[in-house]
Amino acid sequence: MATVTGVREEIVPVGGGRLDMRVQVRGSGPPVVFLHPAGGFAWDPFLETLSEQRTVYAPLVPGVSPADPDAIDEVRDLFELVLYEQEALSALGLEGADLIGASFGGMLACELQATFPGMFGKLVLFSPIGLWRDDAPVTNWMMTAPEDFPALLFADPAGEAARAMLTLPDDPAARADAIAAATWAMGCTAKFVWPVPDRGLDRRIHRITAPTLVIWGRDDALISSVYAQEFGRRIKGARVELLDGCGHALHIEREQETLALVRAFLA
Amino acid sequence: MKVAMFQQAPYRFLPADFEQHYAACVTPRYRELADTPGITATIHGMLDELLLGARSGFDGVVLTEHAQAAYDITPNPSLPGAVLANTLRTEDIDAALILLGRSLGKTREPLKIAEEYAMLDVLSGGRLVAGFPVGLSYDANINQGIPGVDTRGRFREGYELLRRAWAADEPFAFNGRYAQYAHVNIWPRPVQEPHPPLWFPGSGNPATMASVLDEDAAFVLLTWLGVKVGGQGIFDRFWEMCEEKGKEVNPYRVAVVQVCAVAETDERAEREYGPWLERGFHHGLGSIPHHFFLQPGYVPLRGLQGMLRATGDPGIGARLHEATFAELAEAGCVIVGSPATVRERLEAVCRDMKVGNLLAMLHMGEMPHELAEKSIRMFAEEVLPHVQGMWDREGYEHRWWPTGIPETAGAVA
């Protein structure tokens, strides 16, 4: 993926100076917060385009930044992560900002909204994890062999979107670092969802008061689209949109449709 | 040199072409592959072979912990360990019980390990070697559900708790990050003074080796690749670090696993054991997918970058699923042959790497019980007496071997 220009990083001390939250920022216009999925953060085409009209703030889960991998040791559990995220967003003056969360980030966005009802703006969820049905278990992505990842994330694993996201650098060292970074990011985020991505959100999700849009790919192989309705009926007034021919990484695979839905909803 | 018998409990009746039909030996369905006669023969065979080894003059018996896997059905080595411990005591066999061991990175009950080890030390009459593996990634992270990033932190904290629990005169409260106990006052305590020998299995990570030396514990290279292949570069580094830290270079500081098999002649040994050893590698470590060893978070980012950036030939270790017996023998992963051949090769590699504790693995995979017994007997009779004296002339003191119950141990006044 080509390097995206105009990105800056805010370093925000949280937890009484215990650790720094790193927040990537790009664009102009009203702020929107993007909470990244389990595999880490990248300025993908969706976010790049979104940042043309909005200022996108992307807080990284501690440890996910290769500049400070040990930061994950300073976060004990999901509750602390939620507090640190809120502290960082508040410090950046982002109370009232809309939240978009993808997959793991979707769960985190729900936790923020449920813990601090009314503090943030609208809520957009891209195939979030966080709920559990025994009859539709979330695929164990940690046990998935690397070669099976494309089919886990995309309805069309051979498609252009999948290739653009998953193609690794040619340079062997850069390639090694990219795999290491994604693996470590999954390790950091797993701390809050492993081994079963159910940390009791079901018992708090009713506290969410924000207008909510839930988007899901009908062909999601990681977490079945039956969960779209699970989120939809638990969050009062939530709107649910299902995308045809679309897998888990929906804002990559259906970038334009997702952008249109998000822009209209946040307008 | 101390020579102990290293034993795992692979399911002994996997189909010959197992690796062609199953992606991994750490996930196959039990009821599809195992049955009652098979599992009974597997577990009983493992114990009977260890007992034979202990009764035949081996200096110790060694067990490991692996859950939910076909290649080592020992979810808790303290259980067979207890059987062995009692036998050592009742038959007055002067052999060590070496557990490599209960995993503090995997467990959610660290205090239970402190108690189990203490119990085994009592049961065996002070013959326990307490091993402290971090735990393999698939076992700690997948089987036990420990987040990868917590594995090492849990290990360190659990070890600290265990040492305090063994040593403390007064009950104490333990406010750990992963474990909290309001009242730690375990019964029994180990009977060896001040504690059983501490052995730390590892795969050669420099940070691990440094902490082993700092702790003045023994380092165990826990590998199937053998002294020569597995130890390449690692023991050199270990002895360098030992000198840098001003510690005595003493072969008894290290232990390593070596697959061996003995028959009347080289030709016969190859014919009788070769096919079983080859299958054992294919169906065992050769059938564990790479990513099961490296669950996200288990290896810190910098270490992972180093591993992935490493160029060059990964060697036979990356081909265990298809390596032939000839290749395994040529590389030195297995030392197989007549007693003279096995003696000579063992002495050469152990002297070269300064190994003071050899853990001989004499059964693998689906090798039949009778054949394993033959190898154990021949090794005990014709190899052991020759290699046991290997370091005697140098006069090293073995400070990492169990002492039995100290004669000075008395009653509470």
Side-chain angles (χ1 to χ4, degrees):
Chain A
M1 200 171 287
T3 307
V4 174
T5 55
V7 176
R8 69 174 204 274
E9 187 171 75
E10 296 277 358
I11 295 181
V12 188
V14 296
R18 194 165 277 118
L19 85 156
D20 291 333
M21 286 289 290
R22 289 164 185 268
V23 184
Q24 299 228 338
V25 190
R26 184 180 195 267
S28 55
V32 61
V33 175
F34 179 80
L35 298 163
H36 65 78
F41 176 73
W43 287 100
D44 53 53
F46 166 86
L47 290 171
E48 211 181 330
T49 312
L50 187 68
S51 67
E52 287 165 7
Q53 292 171 356
R54 309 281 300 239
T55 309
V56 177
Y57 288 81
L60 307 187
V61 169
V64 164
S65 167
D68 190 11
D70 298 334
I72 186 61
D73 291 336
E74 284 300 336
V75 193
R76 294 207 169 184
D77 53 25
L78 178 61
F79 182 55
E80 281 195 8
L81 177 65
V82 170
L83 296 183
Y84 292 154
E85 295 269 351
Q86 181 272 334
E87 271 188 65
L89 297 178
S90 293
L92 292 170
L94 294 173
E95 290 180 13
D98 300 326
L99 303 185
I100 303 175
S103 191
F104 171 84
M107 175 185 118
L108 192 51
C110 287
E111 293 286 1
L112 277 164
Q113 292 275 14
T115 309
F116 304 100
M119 183 176 282
F120 299 102
K122 292 177 179 174
L123 175 63
V124 179
L125 302 171
F126 298 166
S127 42
I129 57 172
L131 298 178
W132 183 266
R133 271 174 54 165
D134 281 340
D135 66 340
V138 177
T139 301
N140 186 333
W141 68 92
M142 305 270 283
M143 277 173 77
T144 301
E147 60 269 25
D148 296 330
F149 256 95
L152 193 62
L153 296 177
F154 294 92
D156 178 10
E160 205 174 302
R163 275 209 308 276
M165 179 182 165
L166 298 172
T167 298
L168 290 162
D170 288 331
D171 172 56
R175 192 183 183 86
D177 289 355
I179 297 170
T183 307
W184 183 247
M186 281 203 283
C188 292
T189 50
K191 181 161 184 160
F192 312 103
V193 288
W194 182 254
V196 172
D198 175 0
R199 285 291 183 281
L201 177 61
D202 188 37
R203 306 170 69 83
R204 306 183 274 276
I205 196 169
H206 64 276
R207 293 164 50 92
I208 296 176
T209 53
T212 300
L213 169 65
V214 181
I215 314 179
W216 224 286
R218 275 193 206 278
D219 305 320
D220 193 327
L222 196 148
I223 172 164
S224 162
S225 58
V226 300
Y227 281 93
Q229 302 308 329
E230 298 291 338
F231 278 87
R233 70 183 170 80
R234 283 172 175 78
I235 301 172
K236 200 176 166 194
R239 186 174 131 207
V240 175
E241 293 285 347
L242 295 176
L243 303 180
D244 291 325
C246 180
H248 185 68
L250 60 90
H251 68 288
I252 312 286
E253 189 157 33
R254 285 283 176 273
E255 178 203 335
Q256 292 304 324
E257 281 168 82
T258 308
L259 259 175
L261 285 167
V262 171
R263 279 179 168 158
F265 180 73
L266 296 185
Chain B
M1 184 163 69
K2 293 291 186 187
V3 184
M5 207 180 106
F6 178 94
Q7 183 92 352
Q8 296 188 320
Y11 188 69
R12 296 184 175 196
F13 305 93
L14 293 179
D17 57 353
F18 169 82
E19 73 273 26
Q20 288 165 32
H21 301 281
Y22 293 86
C25 67
V26 285
T27 51
R29 292 179 175 85
Y30 180 80
R31 294 195 185 281
E32 199 172 293
L33 283 161
D35 58 24
T36 301
I39 199 68
T40 310
T42 294
I43 304 289
H44 292 181
M46 179 245 319
L47 263 177
D48 290 347
E49 286 154 24
L50 281 165
L51 286 168
L52 174 64
R55 288 168 179 146
S56 307
F58 279 87
D59 294 308
V61 286
V62 189
L63 287 161
T64 49
E65 171 181 293
H66 295 106
Q68 304 198 65
Y71 80 98
D72 185 18
I73 308 167
T74 318
N76 184 343
S78 294
L79 296 173
V83 174
L84 292 162
N86 194 55
T87 307
L88 298 181
R89 181 186 65 86
T90 55
E91 298 185 16
D92 198 22
I93 299 169
D94 187 20
L97 174 64
I98 304 168
L99 263 61
L100 296 178
R102 295 282 276 115
S103 159
L104 286 164
K106 170 184 170 183
T107 188
R108 292 180 192 276
E109 290 189 292
L111 204 54
K112 195 57 68 189
I113 295 182
E115 292 169 333
E116 281 177 21
Y117 274 4
M119 189 82 178
L120 287 168
D121 204 34
V122 177
L123 284 173
S124 65
R127 293 180 173 97
L128 178 74
V129 168
F132 296 102
V134 170
L136 289 177
S137 180
Y138 76 85
D139 208 6
N141 307 139
I142 296 176
N143 292 342
Q144 184 74 353
I146 302 294
V149 291
D150 286 345
T151 319
R152 280 154 223 277
R154 282 181 173 273
F155 175 81
R156 285 189 291 269
E157 180 182 298
Y159 181 69
E160 183 202 328
L161 169 63
L162 174 141
R163 294 296 303 277
R164 279 185 69 188
W166 278 359
D169 292 324
E170 297 294 326
F172 63 93
F174 186 77
N175 180 18
R177 176 166 179 175
Y178 304 101
Q180 294 182 317
Y181 295 93
H183 188 75
V184 178
N185 181 35
I186 63 167
W187 287 60
R189 304 290 175 92
V191 291
Q192 293 182 72
E193 297 288 352
H195 51 70
L198 311 169
W199 287 23
F200 286 76
S203 54
N205 178 328
T208 308
M209 295 198 293
S211 58
V212 169
L213 283 164
D214 292 340
E215 192 69 13
D216 204 25
F219 170 64
V220 189
L221 185 63
L222 203 45
T223 169
W224 283 13
L225 297 177
V227 184
K228 190 176 161 200
V229 180
Q232 196 174 27
I234 292 174
F235 286 125
D236 285 349
R237 184 79 194 97
F238 182 82
W239 296 123
E240 268 172 35
M241 289 169 94
C242 195
E243 284 182 4
E244 284 161 18
K245 288 178 178 288
K247 305 257 182 182
E248 184 205 13
V249 173
N250 179 335
Y252 295 123
R253 283 184 189 277
V254 303
V256 59
V257 179
Q258 175 66 57
V259 177
C260 301
V262 191
E264 292 77 1
T265 63
D266 289 350
E267 186 277 329
R268 194 164 166 184
E270 179 175 339
R271 178 161 41 86
E272 288 183 348
Y273 302 111
W276 299 113
L277 296 176
E278 190 178 295
R279 271 173 67 169
F281 276 89
H282 294 183
H283 297 179
L285 290 198
S287 282
I288 303 182
H290 194 59
H291 66 285
F292 274 61
F293 287 118
L294 294 172
Q295 281 288 291
Y298 180 79
V299 177
L301 179 66
R302 303 282 178 244
L304 201 54
Q305 284 171 335
M307 288 167 74
L308 294 170
R309 279 176 172 224
T311 50
D313 183 9
I316 197 164
R319 296 192 297 107
L320 294 182
H321 60 291
E322 59 180 16
T324 63
F325 172 75
E327 291 172 318
L328 293 163
E330 169 68 25
C333 296
V334 299
I335 293 181
V336 177
S338 69
T341 300
V342 173
R343 284 200 298 262
E344 189 186 308
R345 293 197 183 150
L346 278 180
E347 281 184 348
V349 291
C350 291
R351 194 160 282 285
D352 187 37
M353 304 270 185
K354 296 193 188 69
V355 170
N357 303 283
L358 181 73
L359 315 179
M361 185 175 186
L362 296 162
H363 176 274
M364 267 202 133
E366 294 101 44
M367 184 188 290
H369 177 60
E370 295 68 29
L371 205 52
E373 285 196 328
K374 170 180 170 175
S375 194
I376 293 164
R377 284 204 178 89
M378 290 196 68
F379 191 104
E381 284 163 20
E382 302 189 49
V383 178
L384 262 187
H386 299 271
V387 297
Q388 277 168 321
M390 214 177 96
W391 298 108
D392 289 357
R393 260 180 307 163
E394 284 80 355
Y396 296 111
E397 184 193 354
H398 200 328
R399 297 187 287 111
W400 300 270
W401 199 254
T403 57
I405 298 173
E407 285 175 14
T408 51
V412 175

